[in-house]
Amino acid sequence: MRFLLVADRLERDLTPAGRRRLYEAIRHFDAPRVAFGEVELDLGKVDADDLKSRLHRLDELRRWGQIGSDRNESLIKGTKIPVHMVAALARGQSVEQIVDDFPSLKRHQVEAVIEYANAYPKQGRPYPPRSLKRSLAELAGLGAFDEEAEVGEAAPHRIP
């Protein structure tokens, strides 16, 4: 959790290799300060400021029963909707749009799911950032499904 907080704050400044070195430095040392190249991090401040409140929030999410699981997939409690799918939609849609696409969900559930997914990222292939419903509506708005003319019988043609 420490690593996620620090990396989140330094995200723009760190390369992937720098993130790995930072992770190793934090993971292997249980000290209040960690030297990372020329930079020295005060982990006591990170712990005091954000870590305790974030851990408390994750405990609240579990207590509220917002998150359940089915085999290897975290689901929104009481539904068959994958947590990480809804969180992925938040990258391309607003919370209101997600609630419109999933009328069985409430705003607080979507917000809780986004927090949970940030703390526990999905392993493997990511979900798309737009719902199928919204993607099809955009295509329809662009005229992708409009009938232009009556289509006759298709004849075979030679492939070069």
Side-chain angles (χ1 to χ4, degrees):
M1 188 62 109
R2 269 183 170 174
F3 167 74
L4 292 174
L5 290 170
V6 172
D8 202 35
R9 291 178 183 172
L10 299 174
E11 183 176 0
R12 293 186 182 132
D13 301 328
L14 289 178
T15 64
R19 290 174 70 92
R20 281 191 297 278
R21 286 195 331 264
L22 174 62
Y23 175 75
E24 290 302 320
I26 290 174
R27 189 178 113 193
H28 290 302
F29 301 103
D30 196 24
R33 292 186 179 275
V34 171
F36 177 67
E38 298 293 319
V39 176
E40 187 174 302
L41 299 173
D42 182 359
L43 296 177
K45 186 174 184 322
V46 171
D47 291 350
D49 292 348
D50 293 331
L51 188 59
K52 290 176 186 171
S53 64
R54 281 188 144 172
L55 288 173
H56 179 71
R57 177 64 177 150
L58 289 175
D59 285 340
E60 282 180 345
L61 293 175
R62 286 189 205 100
R63 272 199 314 274
W64 288 345
Q66 298 297 324
I67 312 300
S69 67
D70 180 35
R71 294 184 219 134
N72 295 333
E73 187 76 44
S74 296
L75 304 174
I76 299 173
K77 197 74 143 200
T79 73
K80 297 284 185 188
I81 303 170
V83 165
H84 292 95
M85 180 186 70
V86 173
L89 295 177
R91 291 187 316 236
Q93 297 178 209
S94 68
V95 173
E96 290 78 20
Q97 290 173 324
I98 294 170
V99 172
D100 286 344
D101 291 348
F102 295 90
S104 64
L105 297 180
K106 305 286 185 250
R107 180 181 179 82
H108 72 275
Q109 288 176 302
V110 174
E111 290 168 348
V113 159
I114 293 167
E115 283 184 72
Y116 181 87
N118 285 336
Y120 300 102
K122 179 182 181 347
Q123 299 295 315
R125 183 176 287 198
Y127 285 105
R130 308 285 287 166
S131 69
L132 179 61
K133 176 182 176 181
R134 211 154 284 282
S135 296
L136 290 174
E138 287 174 6
L139 286 172
L142 294 172
F145 304 114
D146 294 347
E147 291 187 37
E148 294 180 20
E150 201 169 301
V151 179
E153 220 176 283
H157 61 282
R158 182 179 288 273
I159 299 175

